[in-house]
Amino acid sequence: MKKHVADLLAKTFPAKYTEMVISKHNVAFGVCPHHLLPVIYRISMAYIPTEKVLGLSKLSRLARLIARGPRLQEDLTHELADILHEQLLSQGSAVYIEGLHMCMAARGVGAHEARLVTSGVRGVFLELATREEFIKLVVAPQTTVL
Ligand SMILES: [Zn+2]
């Protein structure tokens, strides 16, 4: 798995601009490590490049790769934020994840309560204004079910 991630990150482009790059609502599948039941994630990620950028489809693949297998949603959130900050040498990164946990849904909890929200920020996203801009963008209402 580590090798796939390294391969993905090896293919970057020189950054032409240093605005926020954002990839919203990527669907990925994982497994809850406590109950070994599926989790459906909706992952939004952002970073502000310095010298290199990752293609948008690669961002989505990165999220799916990291999400795969038994892993806490909190760990997934932090791992993605770290990669987008440290390995891409970005000015900062932000990750916002909504997880629909089947272990919670199966106990008859309503769909809203069965959803866990986690977020993580690094670098310049620690500044409140940047963080708020990101959150506002990713929680904007949309029409799909997930
Ligand atoms: Zn669980």
Side-chain angles (χ1 to χ4, degrees):
M1 206 273 282
K2 281 249 154 45
K3 191 189 173 302
H4 292 296
V5 172
D7 285 350
L8 257 182
L9 291 168
K11 292 165 206 140
T12 55
F13 308 98
K16 292 194 189 72
Y17 68 100
T18 51
E19 299 297 317
M20 191 186 296
V21 176
I22 180 162
S23 174
K24 264 175 76 164
H25 300 172
N26 297 279
V27 174
F29 299 92
V31 174
C32 143
H34 301 304
H35 308 96
L36 298 176
L37 283 168
V39 185
I40 304 170
Y41 295 116
R42 190 168 73 172
I43 303 177
S44 296
M45 298 161 283
Y47 67 98
I48 299 177
T50 44
E51 53 196 58
K52 52 187 183 179
V53 292
L54 199 61
L56 272 185
S57 66
K58 301 246 167 54
L59 268 181
S60 185
R61 271 171 57 199
L62 178 71
R64 289 201 302 272
L65 265 176
I66 307 285
R68 195 181 288 168
R71 170 161 311 193
L72 281 176
Q73 182 173 329
E74 289 85 345
D75 293 342
L76 169 63
T77 307
H78 290 301
E79 197 166 338
L80 277 172
D82 284 340
I83 288 174
L84 294 177
H85 185 37
E86 288 160 21
Q87 305 209 31
L88 277 183
L89 306 170
S90 67
Q91 296 178 49
S93 65
V95 175
Y96 181 93
I97 303 180
E98 291 169 1
L100 184 56
H101 290 248
M102 292 309 144
C103 55
M104 289 158 82
R107 278 178 298 180
V109 184
H112 279 287
E113 295 96 271
R115 217 161 281 213
L116 182 67
V117 175
T118 50
S119 67
V121 289
R122 302 285 184 274
V124 292
F125 280 90
L126 290 165
E127 287 161 33
L128 197 59
T130 315
R131 183 188 198 135
E132 278 178 347
E133 182 187 346
F134 169 72
I135 298 291
K136 207 170 74 195
L137 284 167
V138 299
V139 301
Q142 57 159 38
T143 49
T144 58
V145 282
L146 248 180

Short mmCIF file of all heavy atoms in Angstrom, two decimals, residues 32-37 39 101-104 107, ligand 1:
data_model
loop_
_atom_site.label_atom_id
_atom_site.label_comp_id
_atom_site.label_asym_id
_atom_site.label_seq_id
_atom_site.Cartn_x
_atom_site.Cartn_y
_atom_site.Cartn_z
N CYS A 32 -14.51 -0.27 9.48
CA CYS A 32 -14.34 0.17 10.86
C CYS A 32 -13.53 -0.89 11.62
O CYS A 32 -13.87 -2.08 11.59
CB CYS A 32 -15.74 0.36 11.47
SG CYS A 32 -15.90 -0.12 13.18
N PRO A 33 -12.43 -0.50 12.26
CA PRO A 33 -11.55 -1.49 12.90
C PRO A 33 -12.16 -2.14 14.15
O PRO A 33 -11.71 -3.19 14.58
CB PRO A 33 -10.31 -0.68 13.26
CG PRO A 33 -10.76 0.73 13.35
CD PRO A 33 -11.92 0.86 12.41
N HIS A 34 -13.18 -1.51 14.73
CA HIS A 34 -13.80 -2.10 15.93
C HIS A 34 -14.78 -3.20 15.58
O HIS A 34 -14.84 -4.22 16.24
CB HIS A 34 -14.56 -1.02 16.73
CG HIS A 34 -13.69 0.10 17.18
ND1 HIS A 34 -12.56 -0.09 17.92
CD2 HIS A 34 -13.79 1.44 16.98
CE1 HIS A 34 -12.00 1.07 18.17
NE2 HIS A 34 -12.72 2.02 17.61
N HIS A 35 -15.59 -2.96 14.55
CA HIS A 35 -16.65 -3.90 14.23
C HIS A 35 -16.44 -4.62 12.91
O HIS A 35 -17.22 -5.49 12.53
CB HIS A 35 -18.00 -3.17 14.18
CG HIS A 35 -18.28 -2.36 15.40
ND1 HIS A 35 -18.00 -1.01 15.49
CD2 HIS A 35 -18.80 -2.73 16.60
CE1 HIS A 35 -18.34 -0.57 16.68
NE2 HIS A 35 -18.82 -1.59 17.39
N LEU A 36 -15.40 -4.24 12.19
CA LEU A 36 -15.12 -4.81 10.87
C LEU A 36 -16.32 -4.72 9.93
O LEU A 36 -16.60 -5.64 9.15
CB LEU A 36 -14.60 -6.25 10.99
CG LEU A 36 -13.28 -6.37 11.76
CD1 LEU A 36 -12.86 -7.82 11.93
CD2 LEU A 36 -12.15 -5.58 11.08
N LEU A 37 -17.03 -3.60 10.03
CA LEU A 37 -18.15 -3.36 9.12
C LEU A 37 -17.78 -2.20 8.19
O LEU A 37 -16.95 -1.36 8.54
CB LEU A 37 -19.42 -3.03 9.92
CG LEU A 37 -20.10 -4.22 10.58
CD1 LEU A 37 -21.15 -3.77 11.57
CD2 LEU A 37 -20.71 -5.15 9.52
N VAL A 39 -17.55 1.19 5.98
CA VAL A 39 -17.78 2.61 6.18
C VAL A 39 -17.72 3.25 4.79
O VAL A 39 -16.82 2.94 4.00
CB VAL A 39 -16.70 3.26 7.07
CG1 VAL A 39 -17.04 4.72 7.34
CG2 VAL A 39 -16.54 2.51 8.38
N HIS A 101 -21.15 5.09 8.89
CA HIS A 101 -20.66 3.86 9.51
C HIS A 101 -21.77 2.82 9.62
O HIS A 101 -22.77 3.04 10.30
CB HIS A 101 -20.11 4.16 10.91
CG HIS A 101 -18.82 4.93 10.85
ND1 HIS A 101 -17.61 4.40 11.24
CD2 HIS A 101 -18.56 6.20 10.41
CE1 HIS A 101 -16.66 5.30 11.05
NE2 HIS A 101 -17.21 6.40 10.57
N MET A 102 -21.58 1.69 8.94
CA MET A 102 -22.61 0.65 8.94
C MET A 102 -22.82 0.07 10.33
O MET A 102 -23.90 -0.36 10.67
CB MET A 102 -22.23 -0.48 7.97
CG MET A 102 -22.27 -0.06 6.51
SD MET A 102 -23.83 0.72 6.07
CE MET A 102 -23.26 1.93 4.91
N CYS A 103 -21.75 0.09 11.15
CA CYS A 103 -21.90 -0.44 12.51
C CYS A 103 -22.91 0.38 13.30
O CYS A 103 -23.63 -0.14 14.13
CB CYS A 103 -20.55 -0.49 13.23
SG CYS A 103 -19.66 1.07 13.28
N MET A 104 -22.97 1.68 13.01
CA MET A 104 -23.94 2.55 13.68
C MET A 104 -25.29 2.46 13.01
O MET A 104 -26.33 2.38 13.67
CB MET A 104 -23.43 3.98 13.69
CG MET A 104 -22.24 4.17 14.63
SD MET A 104 -21.24 5.61 14.21
CE MET A 104 -22.20 6.90 15.00
N ARG A 107 -27.35 -0.57 13.99
CA ARG A 107 -28.01 -0.58 15.30
C ARG A 107 -29.28 0.25 15.31
O ARG A 107 -29.85 0.53 16.35
CB ARG A 107 -27.03 -0.07 16.36
CG ARG A 107 -26.09 -1.17 16.83
CD ARG A 107 -25.11 -0.65 17.82
NE ARG A 107 -24.27 0.38 17.21
CZ ARG A 107 -23.29 1.03 17.85
NH1 ARG A 107 -23.07 0.79 19.09
NH2 ARG A 107 -22.57 1.91 17.23
ZN ZN B 1 -17.72 0.36 14.14
#
